[in-house]
């Protein structure tokens, strides 16, 4: 009887401990904390866990980081969570932290990178973007009027809108014209065409039989394809030492399929803004620009992803307007709600400063292109554009003398407001931080 009573007390005590942990420890905040935290040397970063409990922490490197004023070492030390945790960069490098509750229960691991202050030149330049895809993008189907009626052979074979055709019969495709050339060369005789396509990141093989079109007398497969895209955007930043740049702050997608364009090659050129269609509720508005092939702006495009387009300049001459002085890059933890400004062009090539307000800052546990909510407050810009318009994406956001982010999206129902991306994510994608890491 006594033994059963002891077991009951033990079980109740165990469940009582679980209840204490569930109620006293803010698991959601702890789990959502970034896996990779970046701070600048000599700067502090605060994380408010707000718990009466304590944890034990140890690291694999010394002399890099201190927590609440105590240097991190390989020996576990107790860390109170009653007040915000202060991460302080003591020296350049990286340290892997291990946190344990009561010194026993593993909670999580966290990598903290201490970086030197990086200065970049903010952009604001209007750029013309010319992008060529890797392979040929399927943007639609059409019917071919053959001997047995109207059909789309490619559609029947299972080739879908948004697929990327990489090769036909083993011949790698370099542009959209090759599709018609290869089909015309062999005609409808012989075996089916072997299409190598990419869908959702996976390669798939499809067999397609061409049909002789009664109107044209040519073999057709019933596909609309495209191999390039063009548009106007805004340069966000560039590094004069490495010649690397970042722009747009969001991915370029195909206008028909809404699929991201995989880059084979591309380039940016100067764009002269000649007209602006004002934004209004339900209509985002648009900048209209004329591409100008010149030495003022010339560069390649090597990457197109969630965070924008990236590449290197071959030449860049700053147009008139604001002064282009290097500014320190802000990390996510340094961005705050309140006044800020953006750099952008509303006419010609002149870059101007306009007032905005950062209304909300999201603490992101992983990189994303919607890190803050911004609102245009400058009456001059509102009069000229009505708010955020297409072509303004990538306009750099400056706050407290730091480059903090870029404009990315507009709220369609309120074009005076939109999203911005943290500059930290864009710089990380540009490869500049990798070069810094190699020198640490």
């Amino acid at each position: 009887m006594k033994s059963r009573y002891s077991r009951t007390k033990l079980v109740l005590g165990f469940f009582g401990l679980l209840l204490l942990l569930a109620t006293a420890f803010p698991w959601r905040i702890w789990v959502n904390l970034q896996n990779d935290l970046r701070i600048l040397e000599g700067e502090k970063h605060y994380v408010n866990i707000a718990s009466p409990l304590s944890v034990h922490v140890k690291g694999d490197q010394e002399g890099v980081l201190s927590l609440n004023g105590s240097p991190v070492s390989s020996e576990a030390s107790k860390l109170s969570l009653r007040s915000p945790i202060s991460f302080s960069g003591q020296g350049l490098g990286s340290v892997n932290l291990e946190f344990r509750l009561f010194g026993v229960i593993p909670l999580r691991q966290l990598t903290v990178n201490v970086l030197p202050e990086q200065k970049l030149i903010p952009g604001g330049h209007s750029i013309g973007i010319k992008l060529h895809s890797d392979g040929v993008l399927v943007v639609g189907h059409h019917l071919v009027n053959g001997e047995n009626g109207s059909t789309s052979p490619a559609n029947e074979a299972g080739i879908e809108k948004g697929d990327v055709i990489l090769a036909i019969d083993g011949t790698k495709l370099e542009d959209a014209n090759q599709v018609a050339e290869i089909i015309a060369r062999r005609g409808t005789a012989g075996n089916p065409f072997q299409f190598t396509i990419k869908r959702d990141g996976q390669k798939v093989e499809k067999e397609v039989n061409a049909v002789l079109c009664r109107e044209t007398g040519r073999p057709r497969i019933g596909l609309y394809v495209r191999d390039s895209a063009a548009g106007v955007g805004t340069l966000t930043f560039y590094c004069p030492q490495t010649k690397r740049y970042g722009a747009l702050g969001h991915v370029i997608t195909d206008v028909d399929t809404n699929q991201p364009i995989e880059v084979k090659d591309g380039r940016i050129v100067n764009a002269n803004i000649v007209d602006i269609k004002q934004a209004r509720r339900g209509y985002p508005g648009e900048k209209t620009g004329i591409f100008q092939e010149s030495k003022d702006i010339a560069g390649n495009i090597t990457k197109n992803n969630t965070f924008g387009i990236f590449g290197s300049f071959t030449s860049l001459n700053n147009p008139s307007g604001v002064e282009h002085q290097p500014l320190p890059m802000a990390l996510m933890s340094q961005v705050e709600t309140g006044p800020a400004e953006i750099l952008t062009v509303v006419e010609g090539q002149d870059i101007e400063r306009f007032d905005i307000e950062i209304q909300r800052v999201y603490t992101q546990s992983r990189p994303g292109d919607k890190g803050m909510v911004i609102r245009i407050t400058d009456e001059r810009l509102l009069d000229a554009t009505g708010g955020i318009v297409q072509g303004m994406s990538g306009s750099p956001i400056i706050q407290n003398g730091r480059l903090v982010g870029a404009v990315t999206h507009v709220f369609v129902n309120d074009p005076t407001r939109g999203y911005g991306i943290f500059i930290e994510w864009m710089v990380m994608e540009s490869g500049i931080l990798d070069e810094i890491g190699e020198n640490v």
Side-chain angles (χ1 to χ4, degrees):
M1 187 73 177
K2 187 175 180 180
S3 175
R4 183 183 300 174
Y5 177 72
S6 298
R7 286 198 299 270
T8 302
K9 285 181 63 178
L10 184 62
V11 171
L12 290 175
F14 175 73
F15 281 105
L17 177 61
L18 291 180
L19 181 63
L20 174 65
L21 293 178
T23 57
F25 196 84
W27 295 101
R28 182 179 61 81
I29 298 176
W30 187 257
V31 170
N32 288 341
L33 186 65
Q34 290 174 253
N35 291 324
D36 293 286
L37 183 65
R38 292 178 175 84
I39 63 176
L40 300 177
E41 185 180 17
E43 297 282 346
K44 291 185 178 181
H45 174 71
Y46 294 91
V47 176
N48 189 14
I49 303 298
S51 171
L53 303 177
S54 297
V55 296
H56 288 73
V57 60
K58 64 179 180 179
D60 62 351
Q61 296 289 337
E62 297 184 0
V64 176
L65 184 72
S66 68
L67 298 179
N68 291 351
S70 300
V72 170
S73 70
S74 57
E75 298 293 328
S77 59
K78 193 174 182 180
L79 184 67
S80 172
L81 301 179
R82 293 181 181 274
S83 58
I85 305 174
S86 170
F87 293 78
S88 180
Q90 302 298 303
L92 301 180
S94 177
V95 57
N96 297 308
L97 302 179
E98 180 182 302
F99 294 88
R100 290 178 177 267
L101 191 61
F102 308 128
V104 178
I105 304 174
L107 286 177
R108 68 167 300 157
Q109 294 183 334
L110 175 68
T111 300
V112 181
N113 297 285
V114 180
L115 306 173
E117 184 176 72
Q118 175 66 24
K119 289 190 175 183
L120 301 166
I121 297 180
H125 314 64
S126 282
I127 54 174
I129 300 164
K130 300 180 178 182
L131 202 60
H132 294 276
S133 64
D134 184 17
V136 174
L137 182 66
V138 177
V139 298
H141 301 92
H142 68 85
L143 296 177
V144 180
N145 187 14
E147 291 184 0
N148 298 320
S150 297
T151 182
S152 173
N155 190 26
E156 291 182 356
I159 295 180
E160 300 175 0
K161 183 178 178 180
D163 287 344
V164 177
I165 306 173
L166 300 177
I168 301 177
D169 289 345
T171 300
K172 184 178 179 181
L173 299 183
E174 300 294 337
D175 59 60
N177 293 329
Q178 276 185 278
V179 178
E181 291 172 358
I182 292 173
I183 293 169
R185 196 160 50 235
R186 178 146 69 84
T188 58
N191 297 322
F193 290 94
Q194 194 75 22
F195 278 59
T196 303
I197 67 173
K198 182 185 287 187
R199 179 185 299 163
D200 298 327
Q202 302 294 321
K203 286 187 178 181
V204 181
E205 299 291 331
K206 297 288 184 181
E207 291 185 348
V208 182
N209 289 292
V211 171
L212 189 65
C213 178
R214 298 178 68 177
E215 283 89 1
T216 64
R218 298 177 181 177
R220 309 282 292 276
I221 59 171
L223 275 185
Y224 291 117
V225 294
R226 182 183 295 127
D227 62 9
S228 62
V232 173
T234 303
L235 179 71
T236 305
F237 67 86
Y238 60 96
C239 177
Q241 289 80 26
T242 64
K243 305 298 183 184
R244 296 193 182 192
Y245 75 87
L248 288 190
H250 63 73
V251 69
I252 297 177
T253 58
D254 180 77
V255 66
D256 291 306
T257 66
N258 204 35
Q259 294 293 316
I261 297 175
E262 296 190 33
V263 177
K264 180 181 71 175
D265 60 66
R267 57 199 178 98
I268 60 172
V269 298
N270 190 47
N272 189 58
I273 302 302
V274 296
D275 184 42
I276 291 181
K277 296 178 182 178
Q278 283 210 347
R280 59 181 185 272
R281 186 180 179 87
Y283 179 77
E286 183 181 10
K287 287 184 181 182
T288 301
I290 299 175
F291 289 16
Q292 296 181 328
E293 303 280 352
S294 69
K295 293 183 179 180
D296 289 338
I297 297 178
N300 62 16
I301 300 173
T302 58
K303 188 184 295 187
N304 170 43
N305 63 20
T306 303
F307 313 103
I309 59 170
F310 304 90
S312 300
F313 280 115
T314 54
S315 65
L316 175 64
N317 295 319
N318 287 317
S320 61
V322 300
E323 294 184 7
H324 295 272
Q325 299 297 325
L327 293 179
M329 177 192 80
L331 299 180
M332 179 176 64
S333 59
Q334 296 174 305
V335 185
E336 59 188 26
T337 57
E341 59 184 6
I342 63 172
L343 304 181
T344 200
V345 175
V346 294
E347 184 177 1
Q349 300 176 37
D350 291 344
I351 301 171
E352 299 182 69
R353 295 179 184 270
F354 297 101
D355 294 331
I356 68 166
E357 178 188 6
I358 299 177
Q359 294 187 315
R360 186 170 182 180
V361 177
Y362 297 98
T363 301
Q364 295 180 312
S365 59
R366 58 184 60 86
D369 60 349
K370 297 177 181 178
M372 64 188 91
V373 175
I374 65 171
R375 183 172 69 90
I376 305 296
T377 60
D378 198 302
E379 292 297 330
R380 294 183 304 121
L381 186 56
L382 292 173
D383 289 342
T385 66
I388 299 170
V389 297
Q390 295 179 23
M392 197 179 287
S393 295
S395 298
I397 302 172
I398 298 170
Q399 185 183 61
N400 299 327
R402 290 182 178 273
L403 180 59
V404 303
V407 179
T408 58
H409 299 80
V410 61
F411 293 170
V412 177
N413 290 328
D414 181 6
T416 67
R417 302 171 68 231
Y419 286 113
I421 185 175
F422 294 120
I423 200 67
E424 178 178 355
W425 304 144
M426 292 187 68
V427 174
M428 180 174 65
E429 287 296 318
S430 72
I432 294 174
L433 290 183
D434 294 334
E435 293 189 4
I436 295 173
E438 293 174 359
N439 294 325
V440 168

